[in-house]
Amino acid sequence: MIAEDSVLLREGLARLLGDAGFEVAGQCENADDLLLKVRSYPPDVVIVDIRLPPTHNDEGLRAALEIRAQHPSVGVLVLSQYVELGLAMKLLADSAEGVGYLLKDRISDVREFVAAVRRVADGGSALDPIIVSTLLSRRRQDDPLGDLTPREREVLELMAGGSSNQGIADKLVISLRAVEKYVSSIFGKLGLPSTGTESRRVLAVLLYLRS
Amino acid sequence: MVASALAWSATARVPHVPKSAIVWPVALAGLAAAGGPLTFALHSGAVPSELGEPLVISILAAWISASYVLCGLLAWSRRPASRFGPLMIVAGFVSFAATLSWTTNEVTFTFGQALDLLPPVLFLHVFLAFPSGRLSGRFERSLVAAAYATAISLELVRMVFGGFGPNNLLEVSPNPAVADQVLRIQLVLVSAYCLAGVGVLALRRLRAGRPRRRSLALLIDAFALALVMIAFLFLSAALDGPAVAQIRWATFAALGLAPLAFLIGLLHSRLARSAAGELLVELREDPEPADLRDALARALQDPSLALAYWLPEFERWADLDGHEVRLPAEDSARATTRIDREGASVAVLVHDPSLDDEPELLAAVSAGAAIALEHGRLHAELRARLGELRGSRARVLEAGQNERQRLERNLHDGAQQRLIALSLDLGLLEERLRDDLDAAARLHEARHEIALSLGELRDVARGLHPAVVSGHGLAVALESLAAHAAVPVRLTVELEGRVREQLEVAAYYVVAESLTNIGKHARAKSATVDVARVDGQVVVEIVDDGVGGADTERGSGLRGLADRVESLGGRLRVWTPRGGGTRVRAELPCV
């Protein structure tokens, strides 16, 4: 389901998702319409623009948060022309399950985008690389990130963005086994307990990076 | 009121003090004149018996003449601009001249008798003319003129009909009955004038409201009783009532004491004028303009005094803070005196109307204050300008802000959306043409270019207006700022709910600019950003541990921030001791 006030983009998104094999259950122009439709027939995932009518302030975000609270089974992918760390933290709040927050530009990279939508629909997460790099570039005293090898850093970035181990392995063209090794090494260096699911892992890494 | 509205120029002309060549002869003549009644009483024995004991009455007459002449001389020399002194001198000599009727010489008797009823009228004139020596208003002038006419003309008519003995040169057709009737009419009329005069005085006192020097005014008013007593005596004589010698003596005594009261009154304002001198000394110390009003109020002894400055550019009167002041209407309970400098109005004193009685004091004080007033006026003008400037600065900033916000939204809804849609189309095309490697590569390249453009547009849009502040509040927006800062930043935002958007945007810019400065100049290891609501203000404080010594004047950054903060009625302060880090604190009122 798509909520986006620009017709051009809404249609474009619908076409993209249709081509990729998704069924677009509904297209909405504003947040109220979206909430109504989600209540009537909850989809697997909603894609929502952060700026929606009438004020174009935070209607989209509020709708996203409400759907996350009321319909935990519905994945929420928020699109925006700016990505803000503060908003990401708000969206994730206490769980990175079934949530995504991407810069709008990302939709043109069709494959990546479709993969992200699918991930969110399946209860995973998708965070924009800008957020992850913001967190990683953040200066801090006694930075344990400095201890990471470049390869570990790459893995960390992808991990924080919501990629699964398989996704990371595909992207870096390394074996799944190697990814697992890097991940446990990273967790060791940062002093984080290794957690089960991949989306829990995302939240743990984000919280660590943000602190 | 009309008279006082005329400008009392700061360069008021200095009145001529009577020369001693005039003063001494007049004084001697006065004393000689006072000796007259005594001489007549002792030698001629012609003092009318109905007046009572001749010696007592002649001493009282001498006393009246001397006191009017001498007090008049003193008043004249101390207040040369006032006609009151000369008026008193005339009254003294006329009351002497009237006692010439006690002589036996035909010429002097006739002259004295003709003036017989003039002294009471002169006393009336003196009482009404205090303290300026001028009669104000048509009624007062008509009253006094009628009294003079009655006193002289009816006396002459009476003398024509005789009844004054052998020395009356004017006796033409003796007819005592007619003469008696004329006398009665004369006495009744003069009594009526005196009572009317008392009425005028009472009315004047009522209208003046709260007198400045109440006790003195009451003392002077008390002597107006002498007029009532004259009226009583005359009516009593006209209606064949009882003639009580003691009342007559009391009247004479009161009339003779009145000049002293007048003199004290005049000298008192002389004292007030020395207060004007003190004012000058005080003003030389260059008082704060707020003190000027107080100093003037002290010098003029009018606590209710208000001061308004003329602002030529705004063409209105204003108080010290630049607020408009409306001058009281001409017939209201307040009087105004304008103060001019170099031909133009500088200020106006709004004061108690009783001060109009002392134009010289007003002129002296005004002259002394004119320079200080000019200073105060400039001050008021500055404030008014400042207020206007602050308003226009706020309007300019707000207009700019609105315009930037509009541009940002246009960019967001227009170019950015279109480019994203275009990029999406290219992406779809790229998927479809995957097999055509060359085409796919070109499309990928094109998409990359669009992504770069979008990145640049995003920066432009963010520079125009931090949409995230409007959309999601200060706390969210500051988080990214802190994360992107060049040094580790500890961010604390304690704001419940949202505040005014302009405030949030200003606070955002304060933090953004300060963090940029820290990255560029401070060589700091870390920084803290605290935002809190304290006493109805949003307080933003950015502290770093860098080298300090930041240049707060050059570089438009801090200056622009101060503009923004001040236009919202807030305050921006910077502490930047060399080697001691930099602290920027903005206080923004929530209202």
Side-chain angles (χ1 to χ4, degrees):
Chain A
M1 194 171 293
I2 304 166
E4 158 67 59
D5 62 318
S6 154
V7 189
L8 216 56
L9 278 183
R10 202 168 61 228
E11 301 287 345
L13 271 174
R15 192 144 45 91
L16 182 158
L17 293 172
D19 286 358
F22 286 93
E23 181 204 342
V24 179
Q27 299 184 26
C28 329
E29 276 179 42
N30 59 58
D32 290 341
D33 193 18
L34 172 68
L35 289 173
L36 198 70
K37 284 187 173 147
V38 169
R39 265 197 292 277
S40 334
Y41 38 94
D44 295 328
V45 59
V46 297
I47 298 172
V48 51
D49 183 1
I50 210 164
R51 261 171 138 174
L52 282 178
T55 69
H56 294 273
N57 278 336
D58 62 347
E59 280 88 348
L61 180 74
R62 274 191 279 128
L65 289 173
E66 190 171 334
I67 294 169
R68 301 249 310 133
Q70 305 293 327
H71 310 275
S73 65
V74 177
V76 175
L77 176 56
V78 174
L79 293 182
S80 169
Q81 284 185 9
Y82 46 79
V83 289
E84 291 285 334
L85 178 58
L87 294 184
M89 297 325 290
K90 253 190 185 177
L91 264 176
L92 267 62
D94 47 21
S95 149
E97 278 172 46
V99 65
Y101 179 27
L102 294 176
L103 203 57
K104 259 189 192 174
D105 308 14
R106 309 293 174 212
I107 59 177
S108 70
D109 197 336
V110 176
R111 279 190 195 196
E112 284 268 334
F113 182 68
V114 168
V117 174
R118 194 151 279 147
R119 218 157 59 223
V120 172
D122 293 344
S125 43
L127 271 188
D128 198 275
I130 288 185
I131 301 223
V132 177
S133 68
T134 298
L135 284 170
L136 283 172
S137 69
R138 186 165 173 171
R139 309 295 189 284
R140 67 201 76 215
Q141 281 149 338
D142 318 320
D143 199 345
L145 291 179
D147 297 341
L148 301 183
T149 64
R151 197 50 143 180
E152 283 169 347
R153 234 183 133 90
E154 275 181 300
V155 173
L156 179 65
E157 278 188 49
L158 290 169
M159 196 161 70
S163 294
S164 62
N165 284 358
Q166 187 58 58
I168 298 172
D170 290 351
K171 200 160 243 168
L172 298 180
V173 203
I174 50 176
S175 71
L176 190 61
R177 182 93 191 90
V179 174
E180 282 165 1
K181 227 180 77 195
Y182 283 127
V183 170
S184 72
S185 164
I186 293 167
F187 273 70
K189 282 183 182 173
L190 301 185
L192 289 172
S194 12
T195 45
T197 70
E198 282 157 352
S199 54
R200 270 201 206 141
R201 191 173 73 178
V202 171
L203 193 63
V205 170
L206 283 182
L207 288 176
Y208 170 78
L209 289 176
R210 185 171 175 251
S211 65
Chain B
M1 191 72 69
V2 179
S4 70
L6 295 173
W8 271 90
S9 168
T11 53
R13 69 205 139 73
V14 181
H16 295 292
V17 178
K19 295 190 177 71
S20 54
I22 299 175
V23 172
W24 288 112
V26 171
L28 289 174
L31 287 175
L38 285 174
T39 323
F40 309 148
L42 295 177
H43 288 92
S44 71
V47 177
S49 58
E50 76 267 17
L51 291 181
E53 188 64 42
L55 187 61
V56 176
I57 210 75
S58 56
I59 288 175
L60 286 173
W63 154 245
I64 288 179
S65 294
S67 94
Y68 273 88
V69 171
L70 297 180
C71 290
L73 270 174
L74 269 171
W76 190 16
S77 58
R78 293 299 158 92
R79 281 197 65 168
S82 168
R83 287 191 203 157
F84 193 70
L87 182 64
M88 281 211 286
I89 296 171
V90 170
F93 281 114
V94 168
S95 55
F96 155 73
T99 62
L100 286 175
S101 65
W102 299 345
T103 59
T104 46
N105 177 289
E106 288 176 351
V107 175
T108 53
F109 171 82
T110 306
F111 179 62
Q113 187 61 48
L115 300 179
D116 190 39
L117 272 184
L118 208 48
V121 175
L122 264 162
F123 298 143
L124 173 67
H125 187 171
V126 167
F127 274 89
L128 288 180
F130 178 78
S132 67
R134 292 178 180 85
L135 293 171
S136 56
R138 191 182 296 168
F139 179 74
E140 287 180 28
R141 278 194 290 274
S142 317
L143 181 67
V144 172
Y148 280 124
T150 307
I152 294 176
S153 62
L154 288 186
E155 187 70 16
L156 292 176
V157 169
R158 191 155 73 93
M159 286 169 78
V160 168
F161 291 111
F164 293 96
N167 297 324
N168 181 3
L169 291 175
L170 294 178
E171 185 173 307
V172 179
S173 59
N175 190 339
V178 175
D180 189 50
Q181 283 308 314
V182 172
L183 176 64
R184 285 173 198 276
I185 294 170
Q186 208 180 3
L187 291 174
V188 170
L189 281 176
V190 173
S191 306
Y193 296 140
C194 286
L195 290 176
V198 172
V200 166
L201 288 174
L203 208 64
R204 201 192 281 173
R205 196 50 68 200
L206 277 178
R207 206 177 280 164
R210 176 179 39 80
R212 260 176 325 115
R213 292 182 285 275
R214 183 174 280 276
S215 55
L216 187 67
L218 279 180
L219 174 74
I220 293 166
D221 290 351
F223 282 94
L225 271 181
L227 291 177
V228 179
M229 284 153 84
I230 290 175
F232 171 76
L233 289 172
F234 282 9
L235 286 176
S236 172
L239 305 173
D240 295 323
V244 185
Q246 282 77 8
I247 291 184
R248 191 177 299 276
W249 296 345
T251 307
F252 273 55
L255 287 172
L257 278 172
L260 280 177
F262 291 142
L263 193 63
I264 292 170
L266 289 176
L267 285 183
H268 193 102
S269 76
R270 173 103 186 146
L271 285 177
R273 279 168 75 196
S274 77
E278 281 165 27
L279 172 72
L280 276 181
V281 175
E282 211 172 318
L283 292 182
R284 233 190 7 209
E285 320 267 304
D286 189 19
E288 284 295 303
D291 293 338
L292 180 60
R293 192 215 73 89
D294 295 348
L296 289 174
R298 269 198 302 281
L300 291 173
Q301 300 186 7
D302 180 5
S304 70
L305 182 88
L307 193 57
Y309 301 95
W310 178 246
L311 308 182
E313 292 212 2
F314 300 93
E315 297 206 329
R316 64 176 197 222
W317 298 97
D319 66 11
L320 200 58
D321 294 325
H323 300 305
E324 183 169 6
V325 170
R326 291 194 183 283
L327 295 190
E330 284 208 344
D331 53 351
S332 76
R334 305 284 289 155
T336 54
T337 299
R338 291 194 189 201
I339 298 174
D340 294 352
R341 191 165 155 75
E342 287 162 8
S345 287
V346 179
V348 66
L349 301 173
V350 182
H351 54 79
D352 196 290
S354 61
L355 273 174
D356 283 345
D357 294 344
E358 303 192 56
E360 283 172 78
L361 174 63
L362 273 174
V365 167
S366 306
I371 296 169
L373 282 172
E374 175 77 15
H375 175 223
R377 189 185 64 78
L378 289 174
H379 193 95
E381 194 170 314
L382 199 67
R383 288 275 178 92
R385 245 171 231 276
L386 211 63
E388 198 151 273
L389 208 61
R390 197 170 288 151
S392 77
R393 178 166 67 172
R395 284 193 297 278
V396 166
L397 274 171
E398 199 184 331
Q401 170 107 9
N402 290 342
E403 186 58 16
R404 292 159 71 125
Q405 202 161 348
R406 195 183 62 80
L407 282 174
E408 191 273 342
R409 178 149 291 172
N410 284 351
L411 214 52
H412 178 272
D413 296 342
Q416 284 177 306
Q417 299 278 44
R418 270 177 224 284
L419 278 178
I420 290 169
L422 174 63
S423 178
L424 173 56
D425 280 348
L426 294 182
L428 289 171
L429 206 57
E430 192 183 329
E431 282 302 303
R432 230 171 263 174
L433 299 176
R434 287 189 79 78
D435 300 334
D436 185 342
L437 287 179
D438 185 45
R442 284 184 180 209
L443 285 171
H444 187 80
E445 182 64 23
R447 263 198 322 116
H448 182 66
E449 286 300 319
I450 294 176
L452 287 182
S453 304
L454 277 170
E456 281 167 16
L457 271 183
R458 212 168 10 249
D459 288 344
V460 170
R462 187 186 287 275
L464 279 173
H465 176 73
V468 62
V469 177
S470 324
H472 307 281
L474 199 51
V476 167
L478 291 184
E479 179 131 14
S480 293
L481 272 186
H484 283 111
V487 299
V489 172
R490 191 177 51 72
L491 172 70
T492 319
V493 181
E494 283 170 1
L495 275 183
E496 281 187 20
R498 303 281 303 265
V499 290
R500 211 148 51 95
E501 185 181 345
Q502 283 173 312
L503 235 64
E504 289 189 321
V505 171
Y508 175 86
Y509 279 123
V510 168
V511 176
E513 183 69 27
S514 301
L515 289 179
T516 306
N517 285 342
I518 289 172
K520 276 189 197 158
H521 312 295
R523 281 182 269 154
K525 285 199 184 66
S526 67
T528 58
V529 174
D530 290 282
V531 181
R533 198 193 291 250
V534 182
D535 299 334
Q537 287 186 318
V538 174
V539 176
V540 182
E541 198 165 74
I542 303 101
V543 181
D544 70 55
D545 57 1
V547 294
D551 188 343
T552 52
E553 288 307 314
R554 270 184 299 161
S556 62
L558 278 172
R559 191 58 251 163
L561 283 187
D563 277 352
R564 190 177 280 278
V565 169
E566 283 160 18
S567 79
L568 294 171
R571 185 160 70 143
L572 183 83
R573 285 181 292 172
V574 180
W575 293 265
T576 176
R578 234 161 244 298
T582 298
R583 181 153 75 107
V584 176
R585 181 183 170 93
E587 291 160 3
L588 296 151
C590 289
V591 282

